[in-house]
């Protein structure tokens, strides 16, 4: 019997499996499809900064805590697997065609995160390819990015090196329960017993939570992405405008993201979705009109029916911990979530207060 059974092999489940295995636990990870192929693979992989000393809200604390771990995780993953996850501090440019950025910028200032206003006519000194038609622009120097598929590959390899057992193509369909505890996960390939369980099933978590007595549901929210290819990088910083953004890779590729669509478990690209992304991209960087469209994809973000992700023990199954509902920030928040869940599993005091994230709160 495993010490810990993790259900879900996205960035959250994989990171938890690695972290708890590093602490000496015997871990089995159960995945319905292939590890690291859902939202975590589909995401853009950019990470707004944080500052733990001044993070007022629980969400900002989790973001800041995770932010503080990324460089170290990257170094350890490289040391153990030889895989470079592409993590680098590239900086960000927050822009607007109207004067609507005041509230967003104030939040960064309240957190004491470095943010610098750039006069619209000076933006082209920083990023010459960006349109001159902007009304407002700010630089976030400590925004970072990583290559999701490479990161997932690295965490998977590190898990394997730490002895994590993988059961892929193995959906968990129900829980075997007794006296307020889970005894085993029931799967299409038999039962998987464990001492403790972690539910990290992303957008598919609702069914597993409901049968374990949790009042919160998780809705899938589709995000579409278009990937462009250029012979050389046109700009260096991630450019953000509201919920949409351009992420430049060092090899000249540019990710354009993303839509937010409540269409159930439908993962496809639509004409309207991709058109909207391409128009957005060329309105900010006109030269992108000449770029090659390499491919498009979409992923299903896990969106909870409340503001915060769920991280905590399930009230009706005390040996089960849930870690899901990270919506638009699950890659960024995966190292922090993994450390916090491991602290819960081992009975340590958690690095930040997890009460606001408790699954019992609706
Ligand atoms: C287009 C897009 C852009 C994004 N950009 C960013 C970004 O720039 N930065 C950022 O931090 N985040 C970003 N995100 C959000 C981020 O990708 C998600 O928050 C994160 O991937 C969630 O991770 P997860 O492990 O919870 O879910 P997933 O990666 O979806 O993993 C859940 C896994 O659980 C498995 N599973 C489900 N049910 C079962 C079951 N019953 N039995 C066994 N296995 C099961 C699934 O098959 C899946 O592999 C983006 C998302 C999208 C879609």
């Amino acid at each position: 019997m495993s010490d810990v059974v993790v259900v879900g092999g996205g960035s959250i489940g994989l990171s938890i499996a690695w972290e708890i295995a590093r602490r000496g636990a015997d871990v089995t990870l159960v995945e319905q499809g292939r590890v690291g192929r859902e939202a975590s693979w589909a995401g853009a992989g950019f990470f707004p900064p944080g500052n733990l000393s001044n993070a007022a809200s629980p969400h900002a604390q989790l973001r800041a805590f995770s932010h503080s771990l990324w460089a170290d995780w990257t170094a350890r993953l490289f040391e153990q697997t030889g895989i470079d996850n592409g993590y680098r501090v590239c900086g960000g440019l927050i822009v607007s065609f109207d004067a609507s950025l005041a509230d967003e910028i104030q939040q960064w200032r309240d957190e004491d995160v470095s943010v610098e206003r750039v006069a619209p006519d000076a933006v082209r000194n920083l990023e010459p390819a960006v349109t001159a038609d902007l009304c407002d622009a700010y630089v976030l120097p400590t925004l970072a990015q990583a290559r999701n598929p490479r990161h997932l590959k690295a965490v998977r390899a590190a898990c394997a090196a730490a002895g994590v057992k993988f059961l892929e193509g193995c959906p968990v369909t129900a829980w075997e329960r007794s006296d307020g505890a889970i005894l085993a996960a029931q799967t299409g390939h038999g039962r998987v017993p464990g001492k403790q369980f972690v539910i990290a099933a992303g957008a598919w978590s609702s069914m597993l939570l409901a049968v374990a007595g949790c009042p919160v549901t998780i809705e899938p929210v589709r995000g579409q992405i278009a990937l462009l290819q250029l012979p050389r990088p046109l700009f260096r910083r991630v450019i953000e405008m509201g919920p949409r953004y351009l992420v430049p890779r060092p090899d000249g590729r540019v990710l354009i993201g993303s839509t937010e669509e409540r269409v159930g478990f439908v993962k496809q690209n639509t004409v309207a979705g991709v058109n909207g992304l391409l128009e957005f991209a060329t309105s900010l960087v006109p030269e992108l009109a000449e770029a090659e469209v390499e491919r498009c994809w979409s992923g299903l973000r896990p969106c909870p029916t409340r503001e915060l992700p769920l991280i905590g023990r399930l009230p009706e199954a005390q040996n089960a911990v849930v870690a899901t509902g990270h919506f638009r920030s699950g890659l960024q928040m995966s190292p922090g979530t993994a450390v916090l869940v491991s602290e819960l599993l081992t009975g340590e005091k958690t690095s930040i207060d997890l009460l606001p994230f408790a699954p019992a709160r609706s």
Side-chain angles (χ1 to χ4, degrees):
M1 179 193 300
S2 297
D3 296 327
V4 180
V5 175
V6 178
V7 180
S11 58
I12 301 293
L14 274 174
S15 303
I16 293 168
W18 184 42
E19 181 64 26
I20 192 68
R22 285 197 319 117
R23 294 169 186 232
D26 178 71
V27 183
T28 299
L29 187 148
V30 189
E31 163 58 47
Q32 65 182 359
R34 282 166 61 205
V35 161
R37 297 300 300 175
E38 292 292 349
S40 303
W41 179 91
F46 76 93
F47 312 144
N51 176 0
L52 200 47
S53 334
N54 282 22
S57 71
H59 197 273
Q61 284 175 15
L62 179 56
R63 170 168 42 77
F65 180 51
S66 243
H67 180 75
S68 71
L69 299 173
W70 261 97
D72 179 55
W73 272 51
T74 296
R76 280 196 284 120
L77 284 171
F78 185 69
E79 195 181 295
Q80 289 183 24
T81 68
I83 299 171
D84 174 6
N85 66 7
Y87 176 81
R88 63 196 182 98
V89 178
C90 57
L93 192 59
I94 306 175
V95 298
S96 169
F97 285 122
D98 54 35
S100 60
L101 294 178
D103 288 352
E104 189 180 339
I105 298 307
Q106 192 54 47
Q107 282 177 18
W108 292 120
R109 294 205 165 122
D110 289 347
E111 275 186 50
D112 206 13
V113 166
S114 169
V115 57
E116 300 149 14
R117 181 154 198 280
V118 190
D121 56 2
V123 169
R124 299 190 78 164
N125 299 336
L126 287 178
E127 296 289 7
V130 173
T131 178
D133 295 340
L134 297 172
C135 174
D136 222 357
Y138 291 82
V139 170
L140 266 180
T142 49
L143 183 144
Q145 63 165 288
R147 306 288 284 259
N148 312 13
R150 295 182 194 176
H151 178 70
L152 294 164
K153 200 171 157 194
V155 184
R156 184 192 174 129
C159 278
V164 174
K165 292 183 270 304
F166 289 97
L167 299 176
E168 291 182 85
C170 192
V172 172
T173 52
W175 301 113
E176 191 181 310
R177 297 169 63 185
S178 170
D179 293 335
I182 293 177
L183 304 178
Q186 290 174 0
T187 80
H189 302 282
R191 62 194 290 278
V192 183
K195 293 178 190 157
Q196 302 204 72
F197 294 81
V198 177
I199 303 174
W204 295 264
S205 297
S206 287
M207 181 276 287
L208 297 173
L209 292 175
V211 294
C214 176
V216 183
T217 55
I218 306 292
E219 189 187 2
V221 175
R222 182 171 70 192
Q224 300 190 44
I225 285 204
L227 177 66
L228 307 184
Q229 199 177 55
L230 294 112
R232 60 186 171 81
L234 276 183
F235 51 98
R236 287 188 301 126
R237 295 171 180 81
V238 171
I239 306 176
E240 264 191 280
M241 184 185 276
R244 294 189 291 187
Y245 47 80
L246 304 174
V247 181
R249 302 300 196 201
D251 59 9
R253 290 187 165 93
V254 174
L255 280 168
I256 315 170
S258 178
T259 60
E260 243 183 56
E261 302 160 273
R262 292 167 195 271
V263 290
F265 289 93
V266 179
K267 270 196 308 177
Q268 64 188 31
N269 286 107
T270 61
V271 172
V274 174
N275 269 349
L277 294 176
L278 298 178
E279 276 167 23
F280 162 73
T282 50
S283 73
L284 283 183
V285 180
E287 267 183 80
L288 289 177
E290 303 306 320
E292 178 188 339
V293 179
E294 187 174 329
R295 61 181 293 204
C296 302
W297 64 80
S298 79
L300 301 174
R301 305 180 186 97
C303 180
T305 50
R306 67 178 203 186
E307 206 191 322
L308 291 173
L310 283 67
I311 306 173
R313 288 200 178 271
L314 282 175
E316 296 194 17
Q318 277 301 308
N319 65 337
V321 171
V322 58
T324 191
H326 295 73
F327 193 36
R328 295 190 70 125
S329 314
L331 198 75
Q332 177 186 31
M333 290 179 170
S334 53
T337 302
V339 170
L340 293 164
V341 167
S342 299
E343 289 167 347
L344 275 180
L345 292 169
T346 53
E348 292 166 52
K349 183 176 181 322
T350 55
S351 296
I352 64 171
D353 179 15
L354 283 183
L355 196 59
F357 300 91
R361 297 190 160 199
S362 53

